[in-house]
Amino acid sequence: MIAILKAGTPQAQIDNLIHWLEGQGLTIHLSYGDYYTVLGLVGDTSSLDMELLASLDIVQSVKRVTEPFKRCNRDFHPDDTIIEVPGTDVKIGGGNFCLIAGPCSVETHEQIIGVARAVKAAGANILRGGAFKPRTSPYDFQGLGQLGIEMLVEAKKDTGLPIITEVMNVNQLPLFEDVDIIQVGARNMQNFDLLKEVGKLKKPILLKRGLCATMKEWLMSAEYIMSEGNEQVILCERGIRTYETYTRNTLDLSAVPTLKGLSHLPVVVDPSHATGKAKLVKPMALAAAAAGADGLMIEVHNDPAHALCDGAQSLTPQQFADVAKTVMAVREVVK
Amino acid sequence: MIAILKAGTPQAQIDNLIHWLEGQGLTIHLSYGDYYTVLGLVGDTSSLDMELLASLDIVQSVKRVTEPFKRCNRDFHPDDTIIEVPGTDVKIGGGNFCLIAGPCSVETHEQIIGVARAVKAAGANILRGGAFKPRTSPYDFQGLGQLGIEMLVEAKKDTGLPIITEVMNVNQLPLFEDVDIIQVGARNMQNFDLLKEVGKLKKPILLKRGLCATMKEWLMSAEYIMSEGNEQVILCERGIRTYETYTRNTLDLSAVPTLKGLSHLPVVVDPSHATGKAKLVKPMALAAAAAGADGLMIEVHNDPAHALCDGAQSLTPQQFADVAKTVMAVREVVK
Amino acid sequence: MIAILKAGTPQAQIDNLIHWLEGQGLTIHLSYGDYYTVLGLVGDTSSLDMELLASLDIVQSVKRVTEPFKRCNRDFHPDDTIIEVPGTDVKIGGGNFCLIAGPCSVETHEQIIGVARAVKAAGANILRGGAFKPRTSPYDFQGLGQLGIEMLVEAKKDTGLPIITEVMNVNQLPLFEDVDIIQVGARNMQNFDLLKEVGKLKKPILLKRGLCATMKEWLMSAEYIMSEGNEQVILCERGIRTYETYTRNTLDLSAVPTLKGLSHLPVVVDPSHATGKAKLVKPMALAAAAAGADGLMIEVHNDPAHALCDGAQSLTPQQFADVAKTVMAVREVVK
Amino acid sequence: MIAILKAGTPQAQIDNLIHWLEGQGLTIHLSYGDYYTVLGLVGDTSSLDMELLASLDIVQSVKRVTEPFKRCNRDFHPDDTIIEVPGTDVKIGGGNFCLIAGPCSVETHEQIIGVARAVKAAGANILRGGAFKPRTSPYDFQGLGQLGIEMLVEAKKDTGLPIITEVMNVNQLPLFEDVDIIQVGARNMQNFDLLKEVGKLKKPILLKRGLCATMKEWLMSAEYIMSEGNEQVILCERGIRTYETYTRNTLDLSAVPTLKGLSHLPVVVDPSHATGKAKLVKPMALAAAAAGADGLMIEVHNDPAHALCDGAQSLTPQQFADVAKTVMAVREVVK
């Protein structure tokens, strides 16, 4: 870390600052210039409060030289992490592509079994479905909860597809024993206590990007999970909040190559939630694959009772099969 | 709610949609035009999934006529809510102004007692201090936890000031018995399970605006708390995330009159976290008071060991006293 | 257009409003409900001031049923516009892909000729190069101006590649006689007087998206050009401003399928300016092609004197050749 | 400026870089560390292309130590600039407050004279009115142009109020001879050619903040004007674009104390355009005054034919008089 001091800072205050920094285990390299003084802070600066340092009266600015994340940092772990889903041959990362598909919410036994069989036939290798649903309004459907998880587990038995579903708080975790991959949603990306708890588990965690999280904040949240011992983290880009209102969120595909440069963790993309529009799912899925994503998470429904809503962000199994096939062709070309 | 259907929608599909909507307990008023057909949905639309409706192929757009929030809606509750802090004479809202002050984190017994006495002398009527701290990095100081709350309680006994501190997850709530006002932080504004739990309590909740929450999402989060029975919610504007990097966040003071128009709940402003710069705290505190805020939440420190960091976002007790005095003068002029 | 009136609006005020609207040549369909009154405005609402209407005391909200853009609207012009660059066989749109490449700024005769030959060999069919440069600081290099255009014209004669360069104000237009495609930059997307002037020309205009323009504002700017008679407009996505700081802008690739749905105009993508990082250009170029873009605009340099800056957003001709080849393979797969 | 080089950069490349920097007239101070090498660049770095330097492969990051703006920088000009409007006793800045009021657009002779008299009586000391109007749609009213300016000049003669109106391109400037203050609008904040032209004039320029301009970009645009010799620049905050849709823009009042810290130029605030809602104008005007603004720009209408639109962002003269009076009382308290 580099701290640039303001011109004319009295030596006594510089000494005072150096003393404080050395008290935190750092070695200080001092460089005086005509117009500025630079302190080079050598040692483990990951626990130094950079914002506090920057706020000091005598400090003009502070610059990190090394990133504050360690366990997810590609510099210290050059090889791609490959997540293996236990009890299956599904792998994610390191050249292994995953296709996660399923309905927004688990609704009935028939629905989830039907969708599971359909997406499996269409090429999906992981089944998704919401049991606990974060909803903006307390008056909206909040999901089937435990019953929804049980239905997912049945669909898994029926099809052999591993399952992923979202956890919303630490007390729900005991219900997730038979869930293969646990999703931490965008709204919980900085629910640090939840991150610590899933960090104590021995199963893969899919961590969605927060609604307005920077890529570095997102990696710091992955770091929370990894710092507790669970290194099986999958990052999932799902769009960020911008001023543009035509799409629900703005899918930030530059996050894919950026994160794969900064980190060794796999990166998947959710074009369904990002765009909120079924007709944008295919082009964005293809674009994600072309950008180097390690997988896709796509909403698929198969419920005749809801044929009504065929314009929603969900695809039909037929549409999904078409996306899956073209995605694979794009991957062949770009890899 | 108004649904505008696309031109040329077959009557059979219109009938199908009307049937579905009536099945949800709504009465439908139909209006045919040359270029569009409008459905007026009358009844309780608060539980209708507006996004689903908007996504239907035959629907061009959907528009709410009434807001989806009820309990916090000024239309149904014209008088200002006045929060009374039990066991004290402190009131918030309805013309009652609160000055919440204290350190970012509780650090030691001496520190918190010292600050508490100083801010009380300077005009504060509520003491703040962080015990559980949400930090972006797992390697940063996470707060003293239970010990921090105990120190706050001692400071309350010493000074008589009611105390406010932040809760981070539902399992911590038993530790908050002696806390007068519970804060739900920006990162937890959409931690819906936490909102539901604090909604079951009988004490005031200060709900900070999420990092990129719209005002309506924020009110929906207040609605989560109120829908469980706790109507003592204080809204706290603390800046939103924008592209501007000079300030930590962009303080959105237009939220103050807007929220006071939409809702009867009191609105306070935290200029310290919003700006991240001590020198901006006074002008933004004055501006908040001029805009009609019901209170302020300001960081104040008083720790000689940290005199070093006097440029941080925290004010000294002397600076705070000056802010408090001028704020009161502004209130006299604008009320 | 639909206007929803507030509950309880006196009939006299409704009549007054209808009178005013009819005075603007509109026919009004009135629909009374228990909780609201809806006015359907039929006729040419494109010149009605929607914001003014929405601001009336008696109006709760206003909703457009038809888009305010006409000439660029796919509803009225279902076939893709195909731009033909005069005097060449280069076409853009309707299945024709363009590869625009060249240096950020034209610097010397040797540089631009060298780059032109190199990008042509690598597959580019249009040469770009900045002569008038919009720079944030008045102290930064402002481009060679007229001399830069002359050098571009020489490079065109040498290679046969048509040329594109940016205009910054209406008075420069006489210098652009030999320029094949005129670029209107992001900062001028709402320089309406400039849009009107280039709308009077008979040559293709590449209109970059404004730094924080919505897609609809962007289309309205295209409409400015087209409403003056020039229908040869190419839209160029170049990233939008968000809170994310890792990339220079956030490339919004969902704009590609969205715009191609709303409009018949061709859409190209500039991954170089969007990301500001050479290593992100290839993945984003591939993603743009996969998303259905009609072309790419990529910065390429070839100046040994600047070998120093090989980490910039510019690619070398070798890197560009690799991108071009893979982009074409992606196009084969997704079309 | 500080450039931090990557660990392990070969000495030859460091020497190469130093040679290049010295060729630009800079002196280089080199500081080697165990983990990084720091170059301190001493001299006039304002014309150095910081983005280019940062993009070099061997450079990890670059940090400005001094701001890139000079003429508007308070460090080099500690006293407040006071703008004197020629031929009047109106001053702006340095403790002098201005109240700019008038209609959005000049519509008729009677309207502008009527509003001018009314706002003068209510306390305004400058008259505003749009003659050339930047409109998102080519089909919206574009203003009366030259005729509008003539009407403004008549209103000036009638009332003695100096006038301000917006210029949209360089060719209109000859029409602005009798205009006292020329406004450069938000959409033209980075129309650099226009900035240079108004920089050659000898009259005050009111420069609105761009729709998504950072404060530093805004100051760089002021610098464009000042670098041509015209130092009479007034900055006008008018809201920035964010994800929040309830207000038209998000008024960034923290810009007021921030800019007054960074620069000596006066800062005024336009609460009408920022919020787009008449009911928010008063609280935001008061807040702006409390935050230390040097003036306000407020839309006022007085046209009986438009009594219909009394809910718009415009105030009536009576409402404006109330705002003016309370603003002055706030100023008394905070100064």
Side-chain angles (χ1 to χ4, degrees), chain D residues 77-92:
Chain D
H77 185 315
D79 293 334
D80 283 354
T81 280
I82 298 176
I83 309 272
E84 303 193 18
V85 184
T88 72
D89 59 354
V90 175
K91 295 179 184 175
I92 308 168

Side-chain angles (χ1 to χ4, degrees), chain D residues 78-125:
Chain D
D79 293 334
D80 283 354
T81 280
I82 298 176
I83 309 272
E84 303 193 18
V85 184
T88 72
D89 59 354
V90 175
K91 295 179 184 175
I92 308 168
N96 302 285
F97 196 79
C98 66
L99 269 173
I100 307 170
C104 184
S105 296
V106 179
E107 292 172 35
T108 65
H109 180 82
E110 291 67 31
Q111 172 233 27
I112 191 66
I113 298 282
V115 176
R117 290 178 185 174
V119 299
K120 184 181 182 188
N125 57 0

